[in-house]
Amino acid sequence: MAELSGAVPDYDHEIVPPGRRAHFWRRVAFTPNGAFGLAVVIVLIASAGLADLITPYSPIKMGVGPRFLPPNGAYLLGTDEFGRDLFTRIVYGSRLTLMIGAIAVGISLTVGILVGLIAAYRGGWTETILMRGTDVLFSFTETLIALACVAVLGPSLKNAMIAVGIAGIPFYARTCYSAALVERSKPYFEATIAAGAGPLRLLFLHLLPNVLPTMIVVATLGLSAAILAAAGLSFLGLGAQPPDPEWGAMLSGARDYFNRAPYLMVIPGLAIAVTVLGFNLLGDAIRTALDPREGSE
Amino acid sequence: MTDTPVLDVRDLRIAFGAGRKAREVVHGVSFTVQRGEVVAIVGESGSGKSVTALSLMGLLPRGHGAVTGGSAHFEETDLITLAPEPLRRIRGARIGMVFQEPMTSLNPVLTIGRQMTEGMMAHGRVSERQAREAAIAMLERVGIDDGRRRLGQYPHEFSGGMRQRVMIAMAMMMKPALLIADEPTTALDVTIQAQILDLMRTLIAETGTSLILITHDMGVVAETADRVVVMHDGRVVEEADAKTLFAMPGQAYTRALLAAVPRLDGAVAGAVARPAGREPVVRIDSVSKTFGGRTGTRALDGVSLDVMAGEVVALVGESGSGKSTLGRAVARLLDVDDGAILVDGHNMAEMRGATLRRARARVQMIFQDPYASLDPRFSIGRTVAEPILIHGGGGRREASERAAALLQRVGLDRPMARRFPHEFSGGQRQRVAIARALAAGPKIIVADEPTSALDVTIQAQVLDLLAELRDEQGIALLFISHDLAVVRQISSRVAVMRSGRLLETGPTEAVLGSPRHAYTRALLSAAPVPDPAKRGRVRVTVAAGSYPDGPLVEAAPGHWVAS
């Protein structure tokens, strides 16, 4: 059906060609899922960026108000066991959450892409070692790997981010590997080899740009998993340490007062849930918008 | 023909897109199909021929295309206004369909038997047992023996040609009044194509079914069609019976289309004699390659071949003959197990690292799929400039200046350098690929089926361009193709391969004019000839293993044949 090309969108495009980007974002924002996800992410970024301006108190100074005050006019979301303003802590928490997500996914993505690209490009024993290693890591759940890493590195926010990052590597490596294998087998890649290109040019000018769109989608979806995993570590006391306003840690600290002040648990819990949902929906919307079969010109 | 036609299409209009963006692609097409008649709809890409056929079956891409006007009466029912449910009853039962790609149009996880009987049973006509009996009988009719066992097999257990036979058998199971075949032989080898075309003609003659054959190949049209509808830009340009059309085409477009078809007879303008007494650019010396370990398939088996400077040597053969493997080995995109390939006197197989990368400039490749052979993320200017940058042809400015000059040389405008591959047509993309190959300054270009994905008129232009470059720059060409007519037009020497063995090689006129090897004769007799008067020629078939494939012996000066 070569005949149809030109009349309907070219189905051999897997990626958004340059120049169609504005169109692409419209497609993300105009779906209910995409709009919700985008809104959550924008609110999150705004609150992280403007935290100093929009919060009335300090996030860690104790006794800015009475203890265990339920939500009211002066303390929008109430106060916690040390008399700190919960609203302020949640807003500052968004900063930590974004940072954790970005750094953890950054680690997974960078290492994963490198491993996947090199395995696909080199083949042979390099491929065997890298991909079988990935398989071994894959056979443990991510949380277990993260726990093991924290056990070795010691509990702290920084180490939790590294641990979550390492735990995510196998997934990104495998996704990148299969995407790179597809690109590698295409004639343009062979033509570039035949033109005499060296490994760096092949890897970083041809393979990488062509797998990157796929990896960005995967990363958007992976952000929510990383945020959730890091919150889980903090909840267990292995991540952020008091008095950091990290949502997982806040959730954990409020456990003892659940009967007296349930909002201390409900609000950070909701914050985590909405954030994770937002990133998931956004990632899904981006994936759909990038899928040429879903789109229409 | 006083009967009412089986199919009567009137003023059919089809548009793609919706609302303000809607664009009409078929502008009022009318034609009829009589009972037992073979009507070919021919045209190039974008002519609207496939869309027309799909619309008859209600199979336009959902959400993209819609019929905006006209009618298509099939046995007194208008297919266009018919509701989906009654249309489904007609589809498969009264109108059968055969597609181009026999692998993807069969469901890989269901047995052939299940798929063949599905239609009959879905239309509630027979029991499972009766359906199976009918399927076995039908398989036999399309030339597949041992039907009972074959019904239990899966599509991957059949070869491409066999799968297309299964597809035809499946379509004919319901004894449809009309069969629509969309490029049914395009994906097949010429010898298989000839068999499938013969089979379809026989079946049509026996059953009285009508056939609409959609194709771009004038040879296929001449071999099968009673009447021809030529389409161009969504309109019917000309309609005539096949003999008249080929003998006296009425319209300029039809004449141009016919003129662009490479032929195996008549004069050839382009081919030049073999330049004598020079050192070969490429010397292939008893090269062997086996895929898949020791017991695997032998893709190349002691092949030797020389290519002189400025010479075009064609490698012909069917799929699996090893011709592409040899081409890739010359470009050292794969390593051979045995033998040597000397390019310009240097054995590339012994080179490593930076030395190899420098040496690669001497051999460049052009591929079949013009879209996949360009990096979608690179502007075409950057693509063409890349080999220049790699081989140290000065700075970025100089490289892009030379790239622009090369693009101009292959017939593209300089400002196009900033655009991306998806903005170009197939023919233009192939020109870009040629410019990239030239950019490295090669001694030889390996062209692997460079024109088989292109329309005939575009193919003629690309072939002309390659011939010009050969004459102008003295670049040798290893031209890999399955199409003997194309080969005849461009090459000075031909090498025929099958199952990894070289069977015959020599000057083009000698090999194609007076072939010495049985297999070459079989290939020639299977090639479709764009002349209905030559229909029904005797075809030579050669079974695997029944022909000599030993060492080459010189039968005439420069003409070597396997003994």
Side-chain angles (χ1 to χ4, degrees), chain B residues 192-213:
Chain B
I192 312 291
Q193 162 168 299
Q195 293 166 14
I196 297 289
L197 293 180
D198 288 348
L199 167 70
M200 286 179 51
R201 271 205 79 82
T202 321
L203 278 178
I204 298 300
E206 283 173 16
T207 56
T209 298
S210 309
L211 173 67
I212 296 181
L213 179 73

Side-chain angles (χ1 to χ4, degrees), chain B residues 316-505:
Chain B
V316 298
E318 303 180 6
S319 43
S321 61
K323 57 186 195 302
S324 291
T325 310
L326 188 61
R328 287 162 48 85
V330 169
R332 210 179 165 223
L333 289 171
L334 54 82
D335 293 324
V336 294
D337 303 335
D338 217 0
I341 296 175
L342 300 180
V343 178
D344 224 12
H346 305 278
N347 189 354
M348 288 213 358
E350 283 171 359
M351 294 181 191
R352 294 277 173 274
T355 331
L356 172 65
R357 290 204 288 277
R358 266 196 304 280
R360 282 189 186 281
R362 296 194 191 109
V363 190
Q364 291 295 296
M365 273 202 88
I366 305 170
F367 298 89
Q368 175 176 0
D369 181 346
Y371 186 70
S373 60
L374 302 176
D375 189 329
R377 308 236 132 220
F378 271 43
S379 71
I380 62 157
R382 202 171 158 209
T383 292
V384 176
E386 190 168 37
I388 304 170
L389 282 174
I390 291 171
H391 295 290
R396 224 160 254 285
R397 264 183 96 101
E398 248 179 280
S400 62
E401 180 48 40
R402 273 184 61 198
L406 282 167
L407 284 174
Q408 200 168 22
R409 175 63 201 88
V410 298
L412 296 170
D413 297 336
R414 277 167 177 256
M416 286 182 175
R418 282 204 213 118
R419 300 211 210 140
F420 287 83
H422 71 269
E423 300 174 68
F424 292 88
S425 69
Q428 288 176 320
R429 286 174 196 158
Q430 206 57 301
R431 286 170 190 272
V432 176
I434 293 171
R436 170 181 54 196
L438 291 176
K443 302 274 183 191
I444 181 169
I445 295 179
V446 178
D448 192 349
E449 303 268 10
T451 60
S452 51
L454 306 175
D455 285 324
V456 270
T457 50
I458 310 296
Q459 164 171 288
Q461 293 165 11
V462 170
L463 288 176
D464 286 346
L465 174 63
L466 287 174
E468 276 171 43
L469 294 172
R470 170 199 62 195
D471 298 342
E472 176 186 302
Q473 320 209 347
I475 296 174
L477 210 58
L478 188 60
F479 191 90
I480 300 167
S481 179
H482 69 281
D483 190 333
L484 295 174
V486 167
V487 161
R488 180 165 180 268
Q489 200 179 327
I490 189 161
S491 69
S492 50
R493 269 197 312 141
V494 178
V496 182
M497 286 185 74
R498 190 182 195 185
S499 305
R501 296 284 300 171
L502 204 57
L503 298 181
E504 182 164 3
T505 163

Side-chain angles (χ1 to χ4, degrees), chain A residues 60-134:
Chain A
I60 49 175
K61 194 166 166 239
M62 298 186 201
V64 297
R67 301 169 69 215
F68 298 119
L69 200 65
N72 60 61
Y75 304 97
L76 278 178
L77 299 173
T79 57
D80 68 3
E81 70 272 27
F82 297 114
R84 293 174 297 199
D85 179 39
L86 191 61
F87 173 71
T88 306
R89 284 176 66 76
I90 291 285
V91 168
Y92 273 93
S94 68
R95 198 177 261 187
L96 280 179
T97 300
L98 279 186
M99 186 181 77
I100 292 167
I103 291 179
V105 168
I107 293 172
S108 313
L109 195 63
T110 315
V111 182
I113 284 181
L114 275 179
V115 168
L117 281 185
I118 291 172
Y121 171 70
R122 294 277 308 196
W125 59 265
T126 319
E127 176 186 354
T128 311
I129 292 175
L130 287 176
M131 292 328 286
R132 290 306 80 76
T134 305

Side-chain angles (χ1 to χ4, degrees), chain A residues 234-253:
Chain A
S234 296
F235 180 82
L236 296 174
L238 301 171
Q241 301 297 321
D244 283 348
E246 204 278 337
W247 296 341
M250 286 159 68
L251 201 61
S252 164

Side-chain angles (χ1 to χ4, degrees), chain A residues 3 6 190 193-195 201 206, chain B residues 23 48-49 328 375 386 391:
Chain A
E3 144 114 357
E190 296 208 309
I193 296 177
R201 176 177 281 273
H206 290 278
Chain B
R23 194 160 58 90
K49 58 185 193 299
R328 287 162 48 85
D375 189 329
E386 190 168 37
H391 295 290

